[in-house]
Amino acid sequence: MKSFIFILLLKLSLGEITPRASPGYDCEYCQPEQIHISFGSKSNDIVVTWTTFNNTHESRVQYGEGTMDMEAVGTRTLFTDGGKQRRKMWIHRTLLPDLKYDTRYVYHAGSVFGWSEQFSFKTVPAGEDWVVRAAIYGDMGNKNAHSLSYLQDEAQRGHFDMILHVGDFAYDMDTDDALVGDEFMRQIQPLAAILPYMTCPGNHEAKYNFSNYRNRFSMPGPYESMFYSFDVGPIHFISISTEFYYFLEFGFKMVANQFQWLQEDLMEATKPENRARRPWIVLFGHRPMYCSNSDDIDCSVEYTRKGLPFLGLYGVEPLLRRFGVDAALWAHEHSYERSWPLYDLRVYNGSLREPYRDPRAPVHVVTGSAGCQEDTDTFTSPPPAWSAFRCSDYGYTRLHAHNRTHLHFEQVDVDLKGQVIDSFWIVKDHHRPYDLS
Ligand SMILES: *[C@@H]1O[C@H](CO)[C@@H](O)[C@H](O)[C@H]1NC(C)=O
Ligand SMILES: *[C@@H]1O[C@H](CO)[C@@H](O)[C@H](O)[C@H]1NC(C)=O
Ligand SMILES: *[C@@H]1O[C@H](CO)[C@@H](O)[C@H](O)[C@H]1NC(C)=O
Ligand SMILES: *[C@@H]1O[C@H](CO)[C@@H](O)[C@H](O)[C@H]1NC(C)=O
Ligand SMILES: [Fe+2]
């Protein structure tokens, strides 16, 4: 799963039928399932990931515009779950490289032993000048996934270019010897097979050193989906693991490695020529830097924001200021909450009338109410001064990046049958480090 070393592209003649494998080898559980896609190292590279329970000895995707006249060959890895039964499955990954921009492709994935149903996706437009549309949420489980049907429906109606699932999947992917993970991946297939499904790890993924998460997803970069960045239109997205700060038993060095990488990534993204082309920097991770929920101690433990306990090392909030990160998206609390422009607990309104016009600090959004068996979370009263809007209904967030100056957020309330209960613009003529003097 480290990299896609072996890429083979074939041109099939129109209407060609895939030959059956040589006789003698019997493959019993070789029907592909849990098909999902993600961006590769650039927005016109798509990686297809799927599962079979026996080894098919090949990982093929046949695809094309209208007809499936091309084929890409990928690799597979054997994933052994950490549970008692040590269940095994093969995870297949195939890169579809250098696709045409703004083009609809059809594909199926599999091998001579079985092909998936046919899916289609549309690649994003080239360049920066188009409206990026994303659905964003965290904390969605197999049970009680109130937002799932809305997301499946909106995805199939072509409302989004991508999904960001901000940690906490399935509840949990490793439960029942990872059968819960299998079922979750099947439940998201109606959206994840047709839209890049971009992720970050949450606390519910921690079991066996995040092995279900690392094995089942295929995010760009060399860090096994734990942290990475990618560019889409006018946005540079950064995904981090807040969980490294809380599960130090899996290695303190992970915190240090990620922090080092994050600094370098932000330096690269904020080089004048890069920021001019792609001015928005949106960071997402599972546990929020700010929340005002009442149910537990989550909102007072601030390792990601202020650094590791006692040592105070590797706090991420100073990087948000230093590199002028525009928005930070979180989940973990099963609710929705938006902040005023905020740094180190202080509110820095852009102006009193239009607080998000050239705001003087980053804006934080917590969106962890997609729906899971742990129900929703309540809030402390009264709200803190930094909290601009909050709601405990089930739902998810829509992001529309209109252009280099205008970003729009909406909160969809599925308890209210899809009504938008909060929306706001971030308008910025200048993207630069925040001057808090
Ligand atoms: C094929 O998959 C089944 C179901 O997971 C498993 O019990 C069996 O051991 C596998 N066979 C081989 C040869 O891997
Ligand atoms: C956990 O996995 C990481 C790779 O993501 C590895 O570097 C680390 O050593 C592992 N930790 C343990 C305790 O196995
Ligand atoms: C920020 O601006 C909003 C909108 O004008 C206002 O309601 C809020 O009180 C302001 N907050 C602070 C701390 O100035
Ligand atoms: C950016 O998008 C906003 C909202 O759609 C629009 O009002 C504004 O004119 C656009 N700016 C440019 C330069 O296109
Ligand atoms: Fe969580």
Side-chain angles (χ1 to χ4, degrees):
M1 63 182 295
K2 303 275 178 290
S3 57
F4 307 94
I5 313 153
F6 178 58
I7 301 163
L8 189 65
L9 291 173
L10 299 170
K11 193 87 184 168
L12 305 179
S13 59
L14 273 184
E16 184 174 327
I17 294 168
T18 310
R20 189 80 176 83
S22 50
Y25 179 72
D26 194 21
C27 200
E28 211 178 346
Y29 294 97
C30 286
Q31 181 59 32
E33 56 173 73
Q34 308 174 35
I35 295 99
H36 52 110
I37 64 175
S38 49
F39 290 118
S41 55
K42 48 194 191 358
S43 63
N44 65 331
D45 282 355
I46 291 289
V47 178
V48 185
T49 307
W50 70 96
T51 297
T52 60
F53 293 105
N54 288 151
N55 191 359
T56 58
H57 297 277
E58 53 177 41
S59 311
R60 297 159 65 179
V61 173
Q62 298 181 329
Y63 67 106
E65 299 166 54
T67 51
M68 302 186 291
D69 56 356
M70 289 187 288
E71 179 170 299
V73 176
T75 56
R76 68 224 134 261
T77 47
L78 179 63
F79 166 47
T80 306
D81 172 61
K84 269 211 182 68
Q85 291 187 26
R86 291 278 183 273
R87 277 184 69 241
K88 290 178 171 40
M89 62 192 80
W90 291 87
I91 310 286
H92 303 256
R93 295 183 168 84
T94 298
L95 169 65
L96 314 183
D98 300 312
L99 301 172
K100 282 188 202 164
Y101 286 103
D102 208 3
T103 300
R104 182 160 291 282
Y105 283 88
V106 292
Y107 76 97
H108 65 186
S111 73
V112 291
F113 298 109
W115 293 99
S116 70
E117 54 270 59
Q118 191 183 62
F119 298 104
S120 88
F121 61 83
K122 192 162 170 291
T123 52
V124 299
E128 289 76 36
D129 299 318
W130 53 279
V131 182
V132 177
R133 304 156 312 155
I136 307 163
Y137 52 87
D139 306 75
M140 191 165 75
N142 290 19
K143 295 181 194 160
N144 205 31
H146 284 234
S147 303
L148 182 61
S149 69
Y150 285 81
L151 292 162
Q152 291 166 334
D153 191 48
E154 284 218 75
Q156 293 178 9
R157 288 174 198 281
H159 294 181
F160 302 126
D161 304 298
M162 55 192 270
I163 306 285
L164 305 183
H165 187 145
V166 188
D168 280 4
F169 306 79
Y171 289 75
D172 297 347
M173 290 195 284
D174 59 272
T175 302
D176 289 345
D177 291 283
L179 288 170
V180 167
D182 290 342
E183 187 54 24
F184 178 79
M185 299 308 288
R186 291 183 200 110
Q187 286 176 354
I188 61 165
Q189 182 179 283
L191 65 158
I194 63 175
L195 283 175
Y197 201 86
M198 308 306 285
T199 59
C200 70
N203 52 301
H204 281 270
E205 283 69 68
K207 204 82 180 278
Y208 319 127
N209 198 357
F210 300 92
S211 75
N212 270 268
Y213 174 81
R214 287 191 277 124
N215 278 279
R216 290 175 187 275
F217 291 105
S218 313
M219 296 303 117
Y223 303 107
E224 297 184 305
S225 305
M226 297 301 278
F227 52 94
Y228 60 94
S229 65
F230 62 105
D231 297 327
V232 189
I235 308 182
H236 180 68
F237 281 105
I238 301 175
S239 171
I240 62 167
S241 165
T242 55
E243 301 316 301
F244 288 154
Y245 291 77
Y246 295 84
F247 293 95
L248 291 170
E249 64 267 35
F250 296 131
F252 169 81
K253 73 172 198 294
M254 302 308 297
V255 180
N257 291 353
Q258 173 176 261
F259 190 82
Q260 175 75 22
W261 169 87
L262 178 58
Q263 263 182 315
E264 284 165 15
D265 188 82
L266 282 164
M267 267 178 223
E268 183 64 28
T270 52
K271 279 185 180 161
E273 67 275 20
N274 291 340
R275 195 119 205 215
R277 272 183 66 194
R278 207 175 291 111
W280 296 105
I281 300 181
V282 175
L283 177 139
F284 63 100
H286 183 61
R287 276 189 231 218
M289 285 191 189
Y290 296 96
C291 54
S292 65
N293 300 84
S294 52
D295 54 320
D296 52 24
I297 57 160
D298 286 349
C299 301
S300 53
V301 177
E302 305 182 296
Y303 299 165
T304 327
R305 184 167 90 78
K306 300 187 78 160
L308 289 174
F310 312 116
L311 303 170
L313 287 171
Y314 310 120
V316 172
E317 194 177 33
L319 298 183
L320 305 185
R321 172 184 178 179
R322 183 174 148 208
F323 294 99
V325 170
D326 300 291
L329 314 177
W330 316 103
H332 190 55
E333 302 309 318
H334 300 163
S335 53
Y336 168 76
E337 185 163 27
R338 152 169 73 91
S339 78
W340 297 118
L342 177 62
Y343 187 82
D344 199 16
L345 281 167
R346 268 194 64 190
V347 174
Y348 293 85
N349 274 355
S351 71
L352 230 47
R353 272 188 55 243
E354 294 178 285
Y356 301 116
R357 173 172 281 277
D358 284 317
R360 293 181 52 216
V363 178
H364 294 257
V365 176
V366 179
T367 177
S369 55
C372 69
Q373 69 211 47
E374 295 177 354
D375 303 328
T376 51
D377 291 336
T378 51
F379 293 106
T380 55
S381 184
W386 56 259
S387 183
F389 185 97
R390 54 187 198 167
C391 178
S392 283
D393 289 354
Y394 288 110
Y396 56 94
T397 306
R398 294 192 194 114
L399 164 64
H400 287 179
H402 283 247
N403 51 38
R404 289 168 215 217
T405 56
H406 284 67
L407 213 62
H408 190 241
F409 288 87
E410 288 180 338
Q411 181 63 14
V412 179
D413 186 323
V414 303
D415 292 352
L416 298 178
K417 299 189 163 62
Q419 197 176 308
V420 171
I421 50 163
D422 184 39
S423 65
F424 65 101
W425 290 93
I426 302 179
V427 182
K428 274 196 170 183
D429 293 320
H430 306 286
H431 297 261
R432 57 191 174 202
Y434 296 108
D435 173 11
L436 304 182
S437 55

